[in-house]
Amino acid sequence: MPADLREAARVSPAWPFQEARKLVKRVEQTGQSLVLFETGYGPSGLPHIGTFGEAARTSMVRHAFEVLTEGRITTRLIVFSDDMDGLRKVPDNIPNKELVAAHLGKPLTRIPDPFGTHESFGAHNNARLRAFLDAFGFAYEFASSTDYYASGRFDAALLHMLAHYDAVMRIMLPTFREERATTYSPFLPIHPRSGVVMQVALESVDASAATISWRDPATGEAFTTPVTGGSCKLQWKPDWAMRWYALSVDYEMAGKDLIDSVKVSGAIVRALGGRPPEGFNYELFLDEKGQKISKSKGNGLTVDQWLTYASPESLAHFMYQKPSAAKRLSFDVIPRNVDDYLTCLEAYPRQAWRERLGNAVWHVHEGRPPAPEALVHPGEGGARGTTISFSMLLNLATVANADDPAVLWGFLRRYAPQVSPATHPRLDKLVGYAVAYFRDFVRPAKHYRLADEVEREALGRLSATLAALPRDASAEQIQTALYDVARAAPRYQDMRAKGATPERPGVSNDFFNMLYEVLLGESQGPRFGSFVALYGLAETRALIAKALDGRLLRPDADKASPCGPSMPILSK
């Protein structure tokens, strides 16, 4: 590991390194040679992006810790499924609801699979969780609560908690109202006949016999149940604490809605003689209405939906950014996030180690981000080339009304003849994502407007200026020409811009906003010079002509007119 990387990691303000330094301090205090990371999953519903986010963020902290300790400390990541929990309500987003409804209250691994693909509902959701974690290449170990309870792996910890029953109750009871406190028990027996996880008060606790006694509230029948071997499980806060204690978990993060739960579970671990894990509380994921993402409701984006329109790396990039801020998960966040990822990837090779460790792509790719894929126009010579953005492809799809990736590749190859899907495979995937997103979201929402008189004059001059440029004009040459056109119109002059003079005023963003709105039907877009370079000078002039004679507002006008296309109007 390079010395400058080690030093940059030691002082990096990036949040994964801040978290990892907590673990370094922990290891220095304990002398342990293994650090265990954990993330949990409640399989009462299908996995959602929040589940992925916790695994991704925990993996980022794990990698940062391995860099700080130079690999001298062994690390493991357990993804733990609470599949022994009793199902309290039927999720909204599953088939065969009546099948599941007949088994409410039972552990998820004892409920038939409404999808008909696995031995239980819990097994189905666990398989879905593992499938998408595997698809992202996470290095993890899957753990099932049912397996751990039934196999006896938790028996020693359960007996230890039973021996500290009174201490656990002293921690838990103050967190409840009086009515709930009178019936609360941290131990939940599994009914030997119905298989339901019983929420009942205990009549007695026998630590020496390792049993609890309780009464069925429906029949009055008395039972004595061992706390070991899967005959009993714990309420979730004591269960969380028991798991931390039994497995010696060193790090687990949780949502901000669980801050109090983390404190309570931590207190129980201490009462058992253990040490709570390190961790931090991240903000929640919200749907487009600002409501919390829920597995049972199925609101917000799913992993599969994100991957229909964007790459796995862009999703991991989304998870890296500002974990302490609430994140809205809806389809309209995808394009901006994809472009932010591409911008970070393009900047990485030019950065020093300190900046690299603060760059999201270093964490997304575990320190090995790929080289950016750029297009070099023949007129650019030895220039670095142009990184094609998602928004650029969306706008190309708009003006070409493209449902076929081959149409967009036609523009790309004309701009840079040497490129192909074989030479730029990630760009090829980006093209496919852009076509899908354009088809489902952009095209239905397009809204063009007519240009006013000032705008018509500016567009006419822009068309004439483009006509005078050489056919192989670079994006920079075109961008310069755009500025020159805008400066001639008082409406678009900006004297507050850096370097602006009366002889050479700056250019207001209003000019480019006008181009996006009138020509592309969007409120914003990519760097317009780059767009024109890709789309073509002649094609852009034809687009301007359509805008000026109103055909962009009437996309079927050319077909409807018996006289054919209208003549372009390029000036007043």
Side-chain angles (χ1 to χ4, degrees), residues 171 175 221 247 339 470 489:
I171 295 169
T175 67
E221 185 177 4
L247 303 179
D339 282 345

Side-chain angles (χ1 to χ4, degrees), residues 197-216:
V197 180
M198 300 299 295
Q199 297 266 356
V200 292
L202 300 185
E203 294 192 346
S204 64
V205 172
D206 189 338
S208 60
T211 60
I212 55 175
S213 297
W214 54 283
R215 193 172 297 274
D216 187 331

Side-chain angles (χ1 to χ4, degrees), residues 21-59:
R21 282 193 280 272
K22 297 178 186 177
L23 287 168
V24 171
K25 184 176 180 180
R26 185 184 182 102
V27 167
E28 290 172 348
Q29 293 171 347
T30 64
Q32 65 196 77
S33 58
L34 168 68
V35 167
L36 182 65
F37 295 81
E38 183 185 59
T39 181
Y41 166 60
S44 57
L46 302 180
H48 59 63
I49 282 183
T51 309
F52 163 81
E54 193 167 307
R57 288 168 171 169
T58 303
S59 295

Side-chain angles (χ1 to χ4, degrees), residues 239-259:
D239 184 77
W240 205 9
M242 182 275 296
R243 194 162 75 226
W244 288 347
Y245 174 81
L247 303 179
S248 298
V249 175
D250 294 296
Y251 189 88
E252 182 163 3
M253 57 179 64
K256 282 195 173 180
D257 57 334
L258 298 180
I259 288 177

Side-chain angles (χ1 to χ4, degrees), residues 411-451:
F411 290 109
L412 298 174
R413 278 196 292 264
R414 185 178 62 182
Y415 178 80
Q418 76 281 8
V419 306
S420 69
T423 61
H424 288 62
R426 295 199 308 279
L427 177 58
D428 187 42
K429 290 182 180 179
L430 190 67
V431 167
Y433 294 137
V435 168
Y437 193 92
F438 163 74
R439 179 191 62 232
D440 294 344
F441 297 103
V442 177
R443 182 160 54 192
K446 277 292 172 187
H447 180 70
Y448 294 93
R449 69 171 178 83
L450 288 171

